[in-house]
Amino acid sequence: MEIFDPAELWNKEQIESVQLARLKNALARARNCAFYRERLDQAGIGPDSLRSPDDLRRIPFTTKQDLRAQYPSGLLCVPPSEIVRMHCSSGTTGAPVAVCHTQNDVNVWADLMARCLYMAGVRREDVFQNMSGYGLFTGGLGIHFGAERLGCMTIPAGAGNTRRQIKLIRDFRTTVVHILPSYALILGEYLRSNNENPRDLPLRIAIVGAEPYTEEFRGRVEDLFGIKIYNSYGLSEMNGPGVGFECAERNGLHIWEDAYIAEVVEPETGRPVPVGEVGELVMTSLCREGMPILRYRTRDLTRFLPGECACGRAHRRVDRILGRTDDMFIIKGVNVYPMQIEEVLMAFPEVGQNYLILLENDGVSDMMRVQVEVRDEYFVEDMRILQNLQKAIARRLRAEILLTPRVELVESNSLPRAEGKAVRVRDSRDNK
Ligand code: ADP
Ligand code: ZN
């Protein structure tokens, strides 16, 4: 196996001993800010309290609210002059969170990112086009520096401007792209509506992440472009992309355990769940100097995959992110995740690329409507065919989520498109 960094081949014991040493350093650094100093003192955790990696559990959690309350620089653990860059989360779920990096932090991040790309088969000979928004969003510079670090010619195309994206791909023979799931579809639709075959582009790999998508969705986009897609997971609080990534096996995402400690806990109690069971991912940064973050409640739902990966890397794998705890909505007492709906919809070949879940209240009860785009070739005149499709989708949704939503079939390209993270649910109930 070809590797980018020797740490990829560490065994479990090596990983754990490095984790313990680095965790001690991270704790010592964290004490440089009042927030963590007080937290750790209250929990009775001093510089020598950690004997084994399991002692990590004695450290209190850090929540998104904590980070918001410390905005902009309450968590700074180095003198401000040491900071060379700051990033913010996209703010998908509320006020943004700022993270500040030292030069060493951005170097470590670029190395981790390069390691991910290499693992997915990207090489320095590749031309890498980054179609994610630059600016505060970490998918821009984060991925960019990783691709450069690997030695790829890296095109900072940014988000949007589909015509230019395609021109760049053609002119510079782009072989690898980084793209958000929703934008991959916009690109494909654009080509098709211009009677061009997406498979004629020189692309071979796409790095797709930043928001959840299903295996069905991946299959469709791979098929459309004739490429391989690798799932990329990250969050601004843990730098950004480069935290979890798929290897050639594409069976779960390896978390780089020399740089992070991952836990999966029960959201209500914070207790660890057994391997294989779904819970909330909790992450600790081990190497960060500017703003170390301890036991961060990501609100992302996933599970540790049991057993070892066939690729030989001992860094543990998590399953693709199923959604965020705050993506879940409750309707008529049932807990529903948007990805459950996507999975059902994408299994119908007639269904196009986009859908929207509408939650409404007519003054009496809650209602759920699902608007589904139907592919042009299936959007026929014959009403009966469409009605049957509508019923079939409603039935399958009922089997999955135990209530029957109203399914509305709409023409392809008629629902709103996002160039950034997609909006899947529109909740207009006032009692939510
Ligand atoms: P925000 O929380 O405002 O969207 P970020 O830009 O930092 O801020 O995004 C991080 C979040 O994006 C993660 O916590 C997760 O919910 C989501 N995410 C990132 N990568 C993936 C992925 N590969 N699959 C599913 N969700 C992802
Ligand atoms: Zn692997």
Side-chain angles (χ1 to χ4, degrees), residues 126-173:
D126 279 300
V127 174
F128 192 104
Q129 188 164 327
N130 188 6
M131 300 189 178
S132 112
Y134 275 64
L136 292 171
F137 177 52
T138 54
L141 291 177
I143 298 262
H144 186 102
F145 279 99
E148 268 189 19
R149 172 79 181 76
L150 197 54
C152 300
M153 177 172 96
T154 309
I155 307 176
N161 202 340
T162 308
R163 208 154 67 106
R164 193 183 60 186
Q165 298 282 6
I166 290 164
K167 181 168 164 46
L168 287 169
I169 294 176
R170 290 221 173 90
D171 292 352
F172 294 93
R173 310 294 304 159

Coordinates of all heavy atoms in Angstrom, one line a residue, residues 126-173:
D126 N -2.1 14.9 -10.7 CA -3.5 15.2 -10.9 C -3.6 16.8 -11.0 O -2.9 17.5 -10.4 CB -4.4 14.7 -9.8 CG -4.7 13.2 -10.0 OD1 -5.3 12.9 -11.1 OD2 -4.3 12.4 -9.2
V127 N -4.7 17.2 -11.7 CA -5.1 18.6 -11.7 C -6.3 18.6 -10.8 O -7.3 17.9 -11.0 CB -5.4 19.1 -13.1 CG1 -5.9 20.5 -13.0 CG2 -4.1 19.1 -13.9
F128 N -6.2 19.5 -9.8 CA -7.3 19.5 -8.7 C -8.1 20.8 -8.8 O -7.5 21.8 -8.7 CB -6.6 19.3 -7.4 CG -7.5 19.1 -6.2 CD1 -7.6 17.8 -5.7 CD2 -8.3 20.0 -5.7 CE1 -8.5 17.5 -4.7 CE2 -9.2 19.8 -4.7 CZ -9.3 18.5 -4.2
Q129 N -9.4 20.6 -9.0 CA -10.2 21.8 -9.1 C -11.1 21.9 -7.9 O -11.9 21.0 -7.7 CB -11.0 21.8 -10.4 CG -11.8 23.1 -10.7 CD -12.3 23.2 -12.1 OE1 -11.6 22.7 -13.0 NE2 -13.4 23.7 -12.4
N130 N -11.0 22.9 -7.1 CA -11.7 23.0 -5.9 C -13.0 23.9 -6.1 O -12.9 25.1 -6.2 CB -10.9 23.6 -4.7 CG -11.6 23.5 -3.4 OD1 -12.7 23.0 -3.3 ND2 -11.0 24.1 -2.4
M131 N -14.1 23.2 -6.1 CA -15.4 23.9 -6.5 C -16.1 24.3 -5.2 O -17.4 24.5 -5.3 CB -16.3 23.0 -7.3 CG -15.6 22.6 -8.6 SD -16.9 21.8 -9.5 CE -16.0 21.4 -11.0
S132 N -15.4 24.4 -4.1 CA -16.2 24.8 -2.9 C -15.9 26.3 -2.7 O -15.0 26.8 -3.2 CB -15.8 23.9 -1.7 OG -15.1 24.7 -0.8
G133 N -16.9 26.9 -2.0 CA -16.7 28.3 -1.7 C -15.4 28.6 -0.9 O -15.1 27.8 0.0
Y134 N -14.7 29.6 -1.2 CA -13.5 30.0 -0.5 C -14.0 30.9 0.7 O -15.1 30.9 1.1 CB -12.4 30.6 -1.4 CG -11.6 29.5 -2.0 CD1 -12.2 28.6 -2.9 CD2 -10.3 29.3 -1.7 CE1 -11.4 27.6 -3.5 CE2 -9.5 28.4 -2.3 CZ -10.1 27.5 -3.2 OH -9.3 26.5 -3.8
G135 N -13.1 31.8 1.2 CA -13.6 32.7 2.2 C -13.5 31.9 3.6 O -12.7 31.0 3.8
L136 N -14.5 32.3 4.4 CA -14.5 31.7 5.8 C -14.7 30.2 5.8 O -14.3 29.5 6.8 CB -15.5 32.4 6.6 CG -15.2 33.9 6.9 CD1 -16.4 34.6 7.5 CD2 -14.0 34.1 7.8
F137 N -15.4 29.7 4.8 CA -15.8 28.3 4.8 C -14.5 27.5 4.6 O -13.7 27.7 3.7 CB -16.7 28.1 3.6 CG -17.1 26.6 3.4 CD1 -17.6 25.9 4.5 CD2 -17.0 26.0 2.2 CE1 -17.9 24.5 4.3 CE2 -17.3 24.7 2.0 CZ -17.8 24.0 3.0
T138 N -14.3 26.5 5.5 CA -13.1 25.7 5.5 C -12.9 24.8 4.3 O -11.7 24.3 4.0 CB -13.0 24.9 6.8 OG1 -14.1 24.1 6.8 CG2 -12.8 25.7 8.0
G139 N -13.9 24.5 3.6 CA -13.8 23.7 2.4 C -13.0 24.3 1.3 O -12.5 23.6 0.3
G140 N -12.8 25.6 1.3 CA -12.0 26.3 0.3 C -10.6 26.1 0.6 O -9.9 25.2 0.1
L141 N -10.0 27.0 1.5 CA -8.6 27.0 1.8 C -8.1 25.6 2.4 O -7.0 25.2 2.1 CB -8.2 28.1 2.7 CG -8.3 29.5 2.1 CD1 -8.0 30.6 3.2 CD2 -7.4 29.7 1.0
G142 N -9.0 25.0 3.2 CA -8.6 23.7 3.8 C -8.2 22.7 2.8 O -7.1 22.1 2.8
I143 N -9.1 22.5 1.8 CA -8.8 21.5 0.8 C -7.7 22.0 -0.1 O -6.8 21.2 -0.5 CB -10.1 21.2 0.0 CG1 -11.2 20.6 0.8 CG2 -9.8 20.4 -1.3 CD1 -11.4 19.1 0.8
H144 N -7.7 23.3 -0.4 CA -6.8 23.9 -1.3 C -5.3 23.6 -0.9 O -4.5 23.1 -1.6 CB -7.0 25.4 -1.4 CG -6.1 26.0 -2.4 ND1 -6.6 26.4 -3.7 CD2 -4.8 26.3 -2.4 CE1 -5.6 26.9 -4.4 NE2 -4.5 26.9 -3.6
F145 N -5.0 23.9 0.4 CA -3.7 23.7 0.9 C -3.3 22.2 0.9 O -2.1 21.9 0.7 CB -3.5 24.4 2.3 CG -3.2 25.9 2.1 CD1 -4.3 26.8 2.3 CD2 -2.0 26.4 1.8 CE1 -4.1 28.1 2.2 CE2 -1.8 27.7 1.7 CZ -2.8 28.6 1.9
G146 N -4.2 21.4 1.1 CA -4.0 19.9 1.1 C -3.5 19.5 -0.3 O -2.6 18.7 -0.5
A147 N -4.3 19.9 -1.3 CA -4.0 19.5 -2.7 C -2.6 20.1 -3.1 O -1.9 19.4 -3.8 CB -5.1 20.0 -3.6
E148 N -2.4 21.3 -2.7 CA -1.1 21.9 -3.0 C 0.1 21.2 -2.3 O 1.1 20.9 -2.9 CB -1.0 23.4 -2.6 CG -1.5 24.4 -3.6 CD -1.2 25.8 -3.3 OE1 -0.4 26.1 -2.4 OE2 -1.8 26.7 -3.9
R149 N -0.2 20.8 -1.1 CA 0.8 20.1 -0.3 C 1.2 18.8 -1.0 O 2.3 18.4 -1.0 CB 0.3 19.9 1.1 CG 1.1 19.0 2.0 CD 2.2 19.8 2.6 NE 3.0 18.9 3.5 CZ 3.9 18.0 3.1 NH1 4.1 17.9 1.8 NH2 4.6 17.3 3.9
L150 N 0.2 18.2 -1.6 CA 0.4 17.0 -2.3 C 1.2 17.2 -3.6 O 1.8 16.3 -4.2 CB -1.0 16.3 -2.6 CG -1.1 14.9 -3.0 CD1 -0.4 14.0 -2.0 CD2 -2.6 14.5 -3.1
G151 N 1.1 18.4 -4.1 CA 1.9 18.8 -5.3 C 1.0 18.9 -6.5 O 1.5 19.0 -7.7
C152 N -0.3 18.8 -6.4 CA -1.2 18.9 -7.5 C -1.3 20.3 -8.0 O -1.2 21.3 -7.2 CB -2.7 18.6 -7.1 SG -2.9 16.9 -6.5
M153 N -1.5 20.5 -9.3 CA -1.8 21.9 -9.7 C -3.3 22.1 -9.2 O -4.2 21.3 -9.5 CB -1.8 22.0 -11.2 CG -2.3 23.4 -11.6 SD -2.1 23.9 -13.3 CE -3.7 23.5 -13.9
T154 N -3.4 23.1 -8.4 CA -4.7 23.3 -7.7 C -5.4 24.6 -8.2 O -4.8 25.7 -8.2 CB -4.4 23.4 -6.2 OG1 -3.6 22.3 -5.8 CG2 -5.7 23.4 -5.4
I155 N -6.6 24.4 -8.7 CA -7.4 25.5 -9.3 C -8.4 26.0 -8.3 O -9.3 25.2 -8.0 CB -8.1 25.1 -10.6 CG1 -7.1 24.4 -11.6 CG2 -8.8 26.2 -11.2 CD1 -7.7 23.9 -12.8
P156 N -8.2 27.2 -7.8 CA -9.2 27.7 -6.8 C -10.4 28.2 -7.4 O -10.7 29.4 -7.3 CB -8.4 28.8 -6.0 CG -7.4 29.3 -7.0 CD -7.1 28.1 -8.0
A157 N -11.2 27.3 -8.0 CA -12.3 27.8 -8.9 C -13.5 28.4 -8.0 O -14.2 29.3 -8.5 CB -12.9 26.6 -9.6
G158 N -13.6 28.0 -6.8 CA -14.7 28.5 -5.9 C -16.0 27.9 -6.3 O -16.1 27.0 -7.2
A159 N -17.1 28.4 -5.7 CA -18.4 27.8 -5.9 C -19.1 28.6 -7.1 O -18.8 29.7 -7.3 CB -19.2 27.9 -4.7
G160 N -20.0 27.9 -7.7 CA -20.8 28.5 -8.7 C -20.2 28.8 -10.1 O -19.1 28.3 -10.3
N161 N -20.9 29.6 -10.9 CA -20.4 29.9 -12.2 C -20.1 28.6 -13.0 O -19.0 28.3 -13.5 CB -19.2 30.8 -12.2 CG -19.0 31.5 -13.5 OD1 -19.5 31.1 -14.5 ND2 -18.2 32.6 -13.4
T162 N -21.2 27.8 -13.2 CA -21.1 26.5 -13.8 C -20.4 26.5 -15.2 O -19.5 25.6 -15.4 CB -22.5 25.9 -13.9 OG1 -23.1 26.0 -12.7 CG2 -22.4 24.5 -14.4
R163 N -20.7 27.5 -16.0 CA -20.1 27.5 -17.3 C -18.5 27.6 -17.2 O -17.8 26.9 -17.9 CB -20.6 28.7 -18.1 CG -20.6 28.5 -19.6 CD -21.7 29.3 -20.2 NE -21.3 30.7 -20.1 CZ -20.8 31.5 -21.1 NH1 -20.7 31.0 -22.3 NH2 -20.5 32.7 -20.9
R164 N -18.1 28.5 -16.3 CA -16.6 28.6 -16.2 C -16.0 27.4 -15.6 O -14.9 27.0 -16.0 CB -16.3 29.8 -15.3 CG -14.9 30.2 -15.4 CD -14.5 31.4 -14.5 NE -14.8 31.1 -13.1 CZ -14.7 32.0 -12.1 NH1 -14.4 33.2 -12.3 NH2 -15.0 31.6 -10.8
Q165 N -16.7 26.7 -14.6 CA -16.2 25.5 -14.0 C -15.9 24.5 -15.2 O -14.8 23.9 -15.2 CB -17.2 24.9 -13.1 CG -17.6 25.7 -11.9 CD -16.6 25.7 -10.8 OE1 -15.5 25.1 -10.9 NE2 -16.9 26.3 -9.6
I166 N -16.8 24.3 -16.1 CA -16.7 23.3 -17.1 C -15.6 23.7 -18.1 O -14.8 22.9 -18.5 CB -18.0 23.1 -17.8 CG1 -18.9 22.4 -16.8 CG2 -17.9 22.3 -19.1 CD1 -20.4 22.3 -17.1
K167 N -15.5 25.0 -18.4 CA -14.4 25.5 -19.2 C -13.0 25.2 -18.6 O -12.1 24.7 -19.3 CB -14.6 27.0 -19.5 CG -13.5 27.6 -20.4 CD -13.9 28.9 -20.9 CE -12.7 29.7 -21.5 NZ -11.9 28.9 -22.4
L168 N -12.9 25.4 -17.3 CA -11.7 25.2 -16.6 C -11.3 23.7 -16.6 O -10.2 23.3 -16.9 CB -11.8 25.6 -15.1 CG -11.7 27.2 -14.9 CD1 -12.1 27.5 -13.4 CD2 -10.4 27.7 -15.3
I169 N -12.3 22.9 -16.4 CA -12.1 21.4 -16.4 C -11.6 21.0 -17.8 O -10.6 20.2 -17.9 CB -13.4 20.6 -16.1 CG1 -13.9 20.9 -14.7 CG2 -13.2 19.1 -16.4 CD1 -15.2 20.2 -14.3
R170 N -12.2 21.5 -18.8 CA -11.7 21.2 -20.2 C -10.4 21.7 -20.5 O -9.5 21.0 -21.0 CB -12.7 21.7 -21.2 CG -14.1 21.0 -21.2 CD -14.6 20.8 -22.6 NE -15.8 20.0 -22.5 CZ -17.0 20.5 -22.4 NH1 -17.2 21.8 -22.3 NH2 -18.1 19.6 -22.3
D171 N -10.2 23.0 -20.2 CA -8.9 23.7 -20.6 C -7.7 23.2 -19.9 O -6.6 23.1 -20.5 CB -9.0 25.2 -20.4 CG -10.1 25.9 -21.3 OD1 -10.6 25.2 -22.2 OD2 -10.4 27.1 -21.1
F172 N -7.9 22.9 -18.6 CA -6.7 22.4 -17.8 C -6.7 20.9 -17.6 O -6.0 20.4 -16.8 CB -6.7 23.2 -16.5 CG -6.4 24.7 -16.8 CD1 -7.4 25.6 -16.9 CD2 -5.1 25.1 -17.0 CE1 -7.1 26.9 -17.2 CE2 -4.8 26.4 -17.3 CZ -5.8 27.4 -17.4
R173 N -7.7 20.2 -18.2 CA -7.7 18.7 -18.1 C -7.8 18.3 -16.6 O -7.0 17.5 -16.1 CB -6.6 18.0 -18.7 CG -6.3 18.4 -20.2 CD -7.3 18.1 -21.2 NE -7.7 16.7 -21.2 CZ -8.9 16.3 -21.8 NH1 -9.7 17.1 -22.2 NH2 -9.1 15.0 -21.8

